[in-house]
Amino acid sequence: MPELEFVNVRKSYKSPTGENLLALADFSLKVDGGRFVSVVGPSGCGKTTLLRMAAGLVPWDGGEIRLDGDQLTGPSPKMSMVFQAIGLMPWKSVQSNVALGIQLQAHRRNLTAQETDLVGATLAMVGLKGFEHYYPYQLSGGMQQRVGLARALVRQPEILLMDEPFGALDAQTRAVLQDELLSLWGRVKSTVLFITHDLDEAIYLSDLVVIMGRRPGRIKQVLEVKLPHPRYSYDARAEAGFAHLRSIAWQSIKEEL
Amino acid sequence: MTQSADRLTSPAKRNGKSALATLASNHYVLTALSAIAFVALWQIVSMNVPPIILPSPAKVAAAFVELTASGELIRATGQTVWPFAVGLSIAFVIGTSLGLVLGIFRPAARILDPYIFIFWSIPNIAWLPLFIAWFGVGQLTLIVFVFVSAVFPQLLTVEAGAKEADSFLVEVARSLGGTKSEILHIVVLPSALPYIFAGLRIAVGRALVGIIVGQLLIVATGIGYMFQFYGETLSLAKYFAPLIVIAALAVALNRAVNWAEHVLIPWKPRAFT
Ligand SMILES: Nc1ncnc2c1ncn2[C@@H]1O[C@H](COP(=O)(O)OP(=O)(O)OP(=O)(O)O)[C@@H](O)[C@H]1O
Ligand SMILES: [Mg+2]
């Protein structure tokens, strides 16, 4: 699986008053192939910016982003991004929105029978069986978020970029999807860069938890999670190691609030 | 995770409404009632003014039947409808495609927009002498005049719509690997669709004015000429017949556009029904 590397990346935006707003300063992080890395940090510290750059959607001002050693030049068919603001096409049904993940990857309008089955299976996996023909406005926020997730997963990506994908979900659905994600990841071993506000979620899912400081975003601390996989096969959250990591991480985050 | 689709079907019908309330909420009933009230009011006013000011509904109806039976009204309607339809159709196709292109390729729009705006701002009627000089006194001038009347509202409205395509949805499509033409198809066109209909509504109105003015001033045929003829000869009852035809045409076209919009845009929740 491909690795993703940020080397001294800088990114600034123009503020409404025309000044430069430095979102990320000298950000360096290596996400090894096949690893699950989470990023946590205060609101506005540049996490979404980080993912949009990795997805090849926005340029950066300095440093390098490398995909498997090569300079990143734009969106890659190997990647899928799950957006914090979801971004479903309002004029497409649930099924068509998910199919878009394949259509725009393969650059053709029609799906093969196999691909149609895959769309159905992915929708079933995120618990949306029976809602194939609904339009986004007819879904709850959490259901929309699951469509966004299905659209990313149906591409069978080698790199998965996820921006608070479970943020809008209720606790039960979130727990189910966390386990689904872990089991999927256990099977295909994609490289995952996962952003969340939820420390427990970060520790439960990841090999590595990256804690960011206030804007301009930089890495404050990196914690390695050594709990064995698959974590849904035992009560990983109840392990002593889990609680220990959480208290270290929480201490670190509290200083940034 | 086992939500089932049938839980989301339409809410149960409300009970306990009075029969009168149910009747009043039926919009066909409302339409019929308002039409009756309109004719009654017309009758009352016409009984109190000289017939040269306002003929009674019965006289107008008789004139309408007479003009229809003689074939005059039907012939005039045909003469009006086809140059109108041709001019409007060309305006719709060109206005919509050019509007989409200008909405997306902003550098081209920055060059062309001022000219388009100038043409749009000039009162239509000012073009007529020029068109007559260019295209003579005939159907071609009429079609061009209808076209010029309708194309600018269509173009400008569609351009505004294409420009408004959500940049975030464009970003999402890009992240999935979408090319420029795929993005046009998947994001820009559907988001411009409501504007295409909004433009069409205005274009229909302008084209109707165009055809009537054109027939009145240039070719002396069709509905436009009937207005002129019966207006000048003060045959007011007959004057109302072409008026009814135009009103019916306008309403029918507006209904057709509404219906097409409803069918082609099923994804929008309606704030007001
Ligand atoms: N398009 C933009 N133009 C100008 N400034 C921007 C833009 N996008 C983001 N910013 C700024 O960059 C900073 C980082 O934003 P970003 O969205 O990356 O934060 P985040 O860490 O994802 O926050 P949250 O946890 O709330 O989602 C913020 O201060 C924001 O105002
Ligand atoms: Mg964010």
Side-chain angles (χ1 to χ4, degrees):
Chain A
M1 285 295 157
E3 61 177 40
L4 183 65
E5 193 176 8
F6 299 83
V7 187
N8 296 324
V9 175
R10 280 170 65 82
K11 168 74 185 172
S12 52
Y13 290 109
K14 276 264 176 292
S15 77
T17 51
E19 295 147 45
N20 267 340
L21 180 140
L22 192 58
L24 285 173
D26 290 321
F27 185 92
S28 296
L29 172 68
K30 187 166 178 206
V31 183
D32 289 326
R35 299 207 92 193
F36 199 123
V37 175
S38 286
V39 177
V40 293
S43 180
C45 74
K47 306 182 296 296
T48 295
T49 302
L50 201 66
L51 277 204
R52 288 175 73 219
M53 292 189 306
L57 293 171
V58 286
W60 49 98
D61 303 322
E64 267 192 51
I65 300 179
R66 299 193 195 120
L67 178 59
D68 246 355
D70 297 326
Q71 174 91 15
L72 189 82
T73 52
S76 155
K78 292 179 188 168
M79 284 193 208
S80 286
M81 171 132 172
V82 180
F83 292 85
Q84 187 172 13
I86 313 179
L88 301 180
M89 304 295 154
W91 36 84
K92 287 191 173 287
S93 66
V94 164
Q95 190 169 36
S96 305
N97 263 293
V98 175
L100 214 52
I102 296 173
Q103 287 163 333
L104 294 182
Q105 189 180 40
H107 300 294
R108 47 186 165 71
R109 290 254 191 96
N110 297 321
L111 299 193
T112 63
Q114 225 171 5
E115 287 166 340
T116 310
D117 290 347
L118 181 61
V119 169
T122 312
L123 277 173
M125 191 191 92
V126 297
L128 286 175
K129 207 174 167 59
F131 290 94
E132 287 84 353
H133 301 293
Y134 278 61
Y135 283 106
Y137 84 89
Q138 295 166 315
L139 303 178
S140 72
M143 292 161 85
Q144 294 182 17
Q145 192 59 268
R146 284 183 266 152
V147 180
L149 192 63
R151 179 178 63 191
L153 293 179
V154 82
R155 293 155 66 85
Q156 308 191 301
E158 293 175 29
I159 298 190
L160 196 48
L161 306 170
M162 307 180 87
D163 196 357
E164 304 193 26
F166 304 148
L169 302 179
D170 60 286
Q172 295 90 316
T173 307
R174 177 191 293 232
V176 170
L177 283 180
Q178 285 170 349
D179 287 352
E180 285 288 356
L181 181 62
L182 275 187
S183 111
L184 188 88
W185 177 73
R187 274 178 277 138
V188 298
K189 281 285 175 195
S190 304
T191 309
V192 184
L193 186 54
F194 187 98
I195 284 165
T196 175
H197 270 123
D198 181 343
L199 259 185
D200 281 41
E201 179 170 83
I203 297 168
Y204 182 68
L205 294 175
S206 332
D207 298 318
L208 227 51
V209 177
V210 175
I211 299 170
M212 285 177 75
R214 277 190 300 261
R215 188 177 60 80
R218 70 220 136 65
I219 292 178
K220 183 165 189 227
Q221 194 172 8
V222 178
L223 298 174
E224 195 169 354
V225 186
K226 294 216 177 84
L227 298 168
H229 284 286
R231 292 189 188 144
Y232 48 84
S233 62
Y234 61 103
D235 195 358
R237 291 182 183 89
E239 297 284 307
F242 193 100
H244 179 61
L245 277 173
R246 183 174 43 202
S247 84
I248 297 175
W250 179 232
Q251 211 54 48
S252 181
I253 284 181
K254 228 166 34 181
E255 293 164 15
E256 299 299 318
L257 295 180
Chain B
M1 299 306 296
T2 51
Q3 264 162 314
S4 77
D6 48 41
R7 287 232 312 263
L8 289 187
T9 47
S10 69
K13 293 236 164 66
R14 256 176 264 153
N15 302 316
K17 262 193 190 174
S18 80
L20 198 64
T22 314
L23 205 63
S25 71
N26 182 324
H27 86 160
Y28 294 108
V29 174
L30 281 181
T31 307
L33 284 176
S34 88
I36 291 168
F38 177 77
V39 173
L41 190 68
W42 179 1
Q43 177 69 38
I44 292 168
V45 174
S46 72
M47 287 187 319
N48 292 293
V49 298
I52 197 71
I53 305 286
L54 185 67
S56 71
K59 284 223 180 75
V60 168
F64 189 91
V65 170
E66 185 194 327
L67 286 172
T68 308
S70 74
E72 184 182 344
L73 191 58
I74 292 167
R75 191 162 0 99
T77 303
Q79 284 165 345
T80 296
V81 163
W82 90 257
F84 165 81
V86 173
L88 178 62
S89 308
I90 300 174
F92 176 74
V93 171
I94 291 185
T96 302
S97 25
L98 203 59
L100 284 174
V101 169
L102 291 184
I104 299 163
F105 298 108
R106 295 312 289 156
R110 273 190 281 277
I111 295 169
L112 288 177
D113 275 351
Y115 296 97
I116 293 169
F117 190 73
I118 290 168
F119 280 100
W120 159 244
S121 308
I122 294 172
N124 289 356
I125 202 92
W127 294 108
L128 259 188
L130 192 64
F131 290 166
I132 292 171
W134 285 349
F135 307 113
V137 176
Q139 297 298 336
L140 183 59
T141 302
L142 269 188
I143 291 173
V144 172
F145 190 58
V146 169
F147 169 79
V148 169
S149 305
V151 75
F152 292 111
Q154 185 69 31
L155 194 164
L156 288 168
T157 315
V158 173
E159 181 185 341
K163 220 163 57 179
E164 286 302 305
D166 186 345
S167 65
F168 175 52
L169 291 184
V170 171
E171 181 169 288
V172 170
R174 249 177 357 107
S175 87
L176 294 170
T179 61
K180 278 235 157 61
S181 73
E182 283 171 328
I183 288 170
L184 175 69
H185 210 94
I186 286 157
V187 183
V188 181
L189 203 58
S191 46
L193 207 48
Y195 292 81
I196 292 175
F197 284 106
L200 184 55
R201 263 191 210 97
I202 305 170
V204 164
R206 303 265 308 190
L208 268 179
V209 173
I211 190 69
I212 298 304
V213 168
Q215 290 187 325
L216 214 143
L217 294 180
I218 336 171
V219 292
T221 54
I223 300 280
Y225 182 63
M226 287 182 82
F227 283 133
Q228 189 184 19
F229 184 80
Y230 294 114
E232 281 177 355
T233 56
L234 295 179
S235 327
L236 269 205
K238 287 186 174 168
Y239 181 91
F240 274 77
L243 204 62
I244 291 168
V245 171
I246 286 299
L249 192 62
V251 170
L253 285 170
N254 195 48
R255 282 282 167 84
V257 174
N258 284 348
W259 174 82
E261 184 174 23
H262 201 85
V263 171
L264 288 174
I265 308 184
W267 63 78
K268 276 202 157 173
R270 320 231 163 221
F272 308 103
T273 53

